Amino acid sequence: MLDPKELDYKTLGFHAGLEVHHQIKSQRKLFCNCKPEMIKSTTEPDYRFERYFRPVLGEMGDYDPGMLIEYEKGYRCIYHAFEEVDCIYEQDEMPPYWPDEEAILKGYELAHWFDCTALVDEIIFARKQYLDGSITTGFQRTTIVSRDGFTYVNGKKIGITNLTIEEDAARRIKTENYGRTVYYNLDRLGIPLVEVITDHRDCDNPKDLLKLAEIIGLTLRLSGIGRRGIGSARQDVNISILGGDRVELKGVQDLSLIEKWCLHECLRQDMLIKIAKMLKEREFDINELEHTYFELTDKFNATNIPNNFIIMGIRLPKLDGVLGLEIQPRKDFGQDIFEKTALITGIIMKNMFHSDEIDSKAQRRQHKDASNNFFFSNMSKELDKEIRLALNVKNGDSYALVLGSQKWCIHGLKKIIERIKMAPNGVPQETRRALIDGNSEFLRVIHGKDRLYPDTDTPIIDMDMDEVYALKEKVGKRPWEIEKEYNEKYGLTFEHVKQLIRHNRLDDFEKLVKNGFNPKLVYKVLEETLKTIKRKGTEIKNISIEDIEEVLKGAQQGLFDNSVIPKILKEKVKSSEKSIQQILTGLNIKKIEVEELEKIYPEALDEYNKIQSINNKKLNRSAIIQSQQHYKANQITGILMRKIHRALSGKIVYEFVRKQLEAK
């Protein structure tokens, strides 16, 4: 495996794009009049019902391969419905209402924020198949609003290929029966959702990808289009490297982990490419893989095998050592195959085993599903020899074992062979679930064009393009424009801009800076000071912009040091009617003249000398360090600031001390 610390994304040919999904503020759901609100997870549903799903033919008369695999999983889906936010549309017991035009127009408005040039003049809804149960109809209604937009990341232009409006899916709440039974809440189903898709060719490193996700989120925040709260925004990441293929990482919610997920996916794809090359060198032929399954139950101690379970195995020619290769940190190739097998068949990870694990159990034991692995506690070198003999395993071959009912075992071994047959082609196109440790696991095959077909329940909507183009007037400064302006004018970074936008403080910042206050001090008060005092229990919503301006004015006039601003703001919350001068009096902070420092200075100097004398004895430090002027000035300034209760600016006191030391 590549060394993660020395990964060169440019050499790897890394490319990535985003699919950002964000709920839209609206008065109703997209296809019915129910309220677009979420219900607490602990609320008991008003009624339940269940469904099974099967695939349907696409527009061109073919089944989508991904849908066939979804059907193979055989999910039983149980739905929790709530009369307050659900109706019979969510149950698929009636056709859709007329689509919510408010949500559609907000999609057009967002398209203007990204300067999309191809705005559609007719809204045509299509059906996009989903058989995982997250949508009761088995398909999601979706429409393209615009194409060909862009944004900027670190000066680079990133294309927006599509902007769509669609209905959100139901919330998965739990699974049972080895994942075959899935429970969903219907409250989220049907809430209007905007999807922003970026051109994966334009982003060539994870840092830019992270910033791209943040910029799209900030644009939605500035536009006021998006809903806020947990679960209102999600993004999927499409990643590929040179010689690999597009892989979609689903469920990327914690943006701080994007770089880690990109790193681990690059490691995985690079290793899969190397495995394909290795198999070619071994003259591996997929036709050598036979669907011949052997029962091996009698080789194991019968008392250790659960009732009605058997053990079956299969020979894997020319794969010795391949399944044990690490393709992601703490995950080998065999384990990756088993994860896919487990999801499709329902066989749990601890009931599967491959021969390379005889000598590398430690890697597998770190897996979340590896506790109490049946084979780890029952396999031995002697048993390994017996199994190899029974399966006719030759030198250079490997084997796989599965524990379960006969039906499960046959299904599981079939899926293992199918995945290994893909290995000579390198990286298969997949949708994978992003895991918290940075790794990923198989979720489904990437869907193709055959999952889409027209929605015959929804009429074509002719849009008033004058109204659509008039929405451009609502567009303000974009995040990348604000970043450039604030950096040039005030020396603020993207991180500063990001926090101001997220907390809706841009207007406050600009007002205070316009009134003559130092931009960096204004940012510090708005973002850091308020956050600090909130953490300590002060309700900051009671602090008005006028209060902050009054405090900043006092600091600017030198009535007190910036470091006491938090104390003053906290007092202002307690007694909003008090003036700044009254608060200063209560805090024992009174204005003093610089001349008064001359009276206190000898006392501060004497205290400094005593402290340094004690420290030098304790730490055996050289007195030369302590005699340096800047160090000495800083220490004496600190002593003076405490003595005057920070009644003067630290800068003024420091300059006074420097002059005193220089004069001496």
Side-chain angles (χ1 to χ4, degrees):
M1 191 171 70
L2 290 172
D3 184 351
K5 295 178 181 177
E6 298 181 3
L7 206 63
D8 184 345
Y9 289 102
K10 190 172 183 180
T11 304
L12 273 177
F14 174 90
H15 288 287
L18 290 171
E19 298 173 17
V20 178
H21 308 82
H22 205 111
Q23 291 177 354
I24 299 172
K25 286 181 185 174
S26 62
Q27 299 300 312
R28 48 165 279 201
K29 290 187 177 181
L30 190 56
F31 290 105
C32 69
N33 290 323
C34 293
K35 294 186 292 186
E37 295 176 2
M38 308 285 272
I39 300 293
K40 288 183 179 179
S41 301
T42 54
T43 305
E44 187 68 19
D46 294 311
Y47 51 93
R48 298 177 179 86
F49 61 95
E50 64 179 75
R51 293 274 164 85
Y52 290 89
F53 292 89
R54 61 180 178 83
V56 297
L57 295 171
E59 189 176 4
M60 303 306 293
D62 295 317
Y63 286 109
D64 181 78
M67 290 299 104
L68 293 175
I69 289 181
E70 289 296 296
Y71 178 61
E72 193 175 357
K73 295 175 184 176
Y75 286 142
R76 174 194 177 201
C77 302
I78 299 175
Y79 297 100
H80 290 184
F82 307 88
E83 290 183 351
E84 187 180 349
V85 293
D86 298 318
C87 65
I88 57 175
Y89 169 74
E90 277 81 22
Q91 299 175 50
D92 191 28
E93 296 293 342
M94 64 168 285
Y97 286 57
W98 187 265
D100 181 22
E101 292 192 23
E102 177 195 7
I104 294 171
L105 286 172
K106 285 185 176 180
Y108 280 107
E109 184 182 335
L110 187 62
H112 289 308
W113 280 84
F114 291 116
D115 279 320
C116 291
T117 55
L119 304 174
V120 303
D121 55 4
E122 288 184 336
I123 292 294
I124 303 173
F125 279 95
R127 295 178 178 181
K128 187 161 56 175
Q129 286 189 68
Y130 280 99
L131 300 188
D132 61 354
S134 60
I135 297 182
T136 51
T137 55
F139 58 82
Q140 180 188 50
R141 290 183 168 95
T142 179
T143 183
I144 292 178
V145 169
S146 62
R147 298 171 60 90
D148 302 337
F150 65 87
T151 180
Y152 284 95
V153 173
N154 297 328
K156 290 188 288 188
K157 191 174 183 179
I158 307 291
I160 306 292
T161 58
N162 283 305
L163 195 149
T164 68
I165 298 293
E166 56 195 25
E167 53 186 340
D168 207 345
R171 283 194 296 157
R172 179 181 288 207
I173 48 177
K174 65 176 180 177
T175 61
E176 292 176 348
N177 188 27
Y178 303 102
R180 301 303 92 184
T181 302
V182 189
Y183 289 80
Y184 287 98
N185 266 4
L186 290 184
D187 51 356
R188 195 177 73 182
L189 180 61
I191 292 178
L193 194 74
V194 64
E195 181 180 22
V196 180
I197 304 172
T198 72
D199 192 331
H200 78 283
R201 296 169 298 180
D202 295 340
C203 202
D204 58 8
N205 66 82
K207 289 188 183 298
D208 284 354
L209 188 70
L210 169 60
K211 189 170 180 180
L212 175 61
E214 291 175 332
I215 282 176
I216 292 173
L218 294 175
T219 304
L220 280 152
R221 181 67 59 86
L222 285 170
S223 67
I225 290 168
R227 293 168 65 91
R228 297 178 65 176
I230 297 172
S232 61
R234 307 182 295 282
Q235 42 271 319
D236 305 331
V237 180
N238 292 291
I239 300 172
S240 67
I241 65 171
L242 194 64
D245 212 330
R246 180 171 75 94
V247 169
E248 180 185 25
L249 293 185
K250 205 89 174 161
V252 177
Q253 291 202 352
D254 187 348
L255 294 184
S256 66
L257 290 175
I258 276 187
E259 291 185 54
K260 192 173 183 181
W261 277 315
C262 289
L263 169 65
H264 287 211
E265 179 56 27
C266 286
L267 296 174
R268 192 184 75 90
Q269 291 202 24
D270 179 74
M271 200 62 203
L272 289 177
I273 294 167
K274 288 175 179 173
I275 288 173
K277 185 179 178 182
M278 188 185 303
L279 294 177
K280 187 176 181 181
E281 291 170 352
R282 295 186 181 191
E283 299 181 347
F284 175 80
D285 184 355
I286 61 172
N287 294 316
E288 293 181 62
L289 285 165
E290 299 177 349
H291 288 276
T292 306
Y293 316 130
F294 294 86
E295 184 175 345
L296 302 167
T297 314
D298 61 338
K299 305 294 181 186
F300 291 79
N301 187 337
T303 58
N304 295 334
I305 300 174
N307 290 335
N308 303 318
F309 274 22
I310 64 171
I311 295 169
M312 297 188 76
I314 190 167
R315 170 179 165 257
L316 303 173
K318 299 178 181 176
L319 287 178
D320 184 36
V322 174
L323 297 179
L325 292 173
E326 189 178 28
I327 64 169
Q328 283 188 326
R330 302 172 306 281
K331 180 191 285 189
D332 63 32
F333 183 40
Q335 188 174 313
D336 194 60
I337 293 171
F338 291 163
E339 285 177 342
K340 179 176 181 177
T341 303
L343 184 72
I344 295 174
T345 66
I347 300 172
I348 54 180
M349 288 284 293
K350 66 182 182 181
N351 289 346
M352 290 182 276
F353 182 82
H354 64 79
S355 53
D356 287 351
E357 292 183 302
I358 290 287
D359 300 316
S360 60
K361 296 177 187 176
Q363 219 176 58
R364 180 78 178 280
R365 281 181 178 141
Q366 296 179 50
H367 190 273
K368 61 184 175 65
D369 294 321
S371 59
N372 302 318
N373 185 288
F374 172 83
F375 295 101
F376 286 174
S377 56
N378 287 278
M379 284 297 294
S380 64
K381 292 284 186 181
E382 292 72 24
L383 184 54
D384 175 56
K385 290 178 183 178
E386 289 184 43
I387 291 171
R388 288 177 181 273
L389 187 63
L391 295 176
N392 193 27
V393 174
K394 300 172 185 176
N395 189 31
D397 293 348
S398 183
Y399 65 82
L401 304 177
V402 175
L403 168 71
S405 67
Q406 186 183 60
K407 181 180 177 181
W408 284 3
C409 288
I410 292 173
H411 195 190
L413 292 172
K414 178 185 175 186
K415 291 294 113 182
I416 290 170
I417 290 177
E418 286 180 4
R419 174 61 186 89
I420 292 173
K421 282 185 175 181
M422 298 178 185
N425 297 322
V427 181
Q429 281 198 349
E430 293 176 341
T431 297
R432 299 178 64 84
R433 181 185 289 112
L435 304 174
I436 195 69
D437 64 355
N439 287 347
S440 61
E441 62 185 11
F442 175 84
L443 189 59
R444 60 173 179 257
V445 174
I446 283 186
H447 304 308
K449 62 183 184 301
D450 291 317
R451 72 189 289 219
L452 280 165
Y453 56 100
D455 179 29
T456 53
D457 291 328
T458 309
I460 295 173
I461 304 174
D462 286 317
M463 298 302 298
D464 181 348
M465 296 312 287
D466 289 336
E467 182 181 10
V468 168
Y469 284 113
L471 293 170
K472 195 164 187 176
E473 296 176 6
K474 293 187 175 183
V475 177
K477 293 178 186 174
R478 283 90 164 181
W480 57 94
E481 295 168 341
I482 298 171
E483 177 191 6
K484 184 180 178 183
E485 179 188 342
Y486 278 33
N487 183 259
E488 292 173 354
K489 277 187 179 180
Y490 315 124
L492 298 184
T493 66
F494 176 71
E495 289 300 314
H496 295 138
V497 170
K498 183 171 70 177
Q499 295 305 319
L500 288 170
I501 294 174
R502 282 182 174 173
H503 300 141
N504 294 323
R505 291 188 177 125
L506 273 181
D507 291 341
D508 291 342
F509 176 84
E510 293 194 356
K511 179 182 177 182
L512 293 170
V513 170
K514 189 177 179 181
N515 289 343
F517 299 111
N518 181 288
K520 291 189 175 178
L521 176 60
V522 170
Y523 174 82
K524 185 175 181 180
V525 171
L526 290 176
E527 287 300 329
E528 296 175 16
T529 303
L530 292 181
K531 186 177 179 181
T532 300
I533 62 178
K534 181 182 180 181
R535 196 183 296 124
K536 293 181 178 179
T538 301
E539 189 53 75
I540 62 173
K541 69 179 182 182
N542 296 327
I543 301 175
S544 67
I545 188 65
E546 289 75 24
D547 292 334
I548 294 172
E549 185 170 4
E550 189 181 1
V551 173
L552 287 173
K553 194 176 289 183
Q556 191 179 56
Q557 293 171 351
L559 298 179
F560 48 84
D561 183 58
N562 294 342
S563 60
V564 295
I565 289 177
K567 287 183 180 179
I568 296 171
L569 285 173
K570 285 170 80 172
E571 290 300 317
K572 192 70 179 171
V573 172
K574 293 177 186 176
S575 309
S576 58
E577 69 284 349
K578 284 186 179 180
S579 67
I580 294 297
Q581 193 54 57
Q582 288 174 318
I583 291 173
L584 291 174
T585 302
L587 293 172
N588 198 23
I589 300 174
K590 57 182 180 178
K591 186 175 180 180
I592 65 171
E593 301 299 331
V594 177
E595 290 75 20
E596 294 184 47
L597 291 176
E598 295 177 359
K599 299 176 183 176
I600 312 171
Y601 179 75
E603 186 182 332
L605 182 62
D606 185 52
E607 187 175 330
Y608 166 79
N609 289 329
K610 287 178 181 177
I611 292 171
Q612 297 313 312
S613 176
I614 294 168
N615 286 342
N616 288 336
K617 286 178 182 178
K618 279 184 179 180
L619 304 175
N620 196 26
R621 291 191 302 191
S622 170
I624 297 173
I625 296 175
Q626 312 305 335
S627 65
Q628 291 176 0
Q629 290 291 80
H630 71 276
Y631 176 86
K632 194 171 184 178
N634 279 330
Q635 296 299 308
I636 297 173
T637 299
I639 295 169
L640 277 172
M641 291 291 284
R642 287 195 296 274
K643 288 184 176 295
I644 65 173
H645 301 286
R646 303 187 181 276
L648 279 175
S649 161
K651 184 178 179 181
I652 294 172
V653 176
Y654 179 80
E655 289 301 320
F656 166 80
V657 173
R658 289 282 296 183
K659 285 179 182 178
Q660 295 295 317
L661 292 173
E662 287 169 7
K664 183 178 178 182

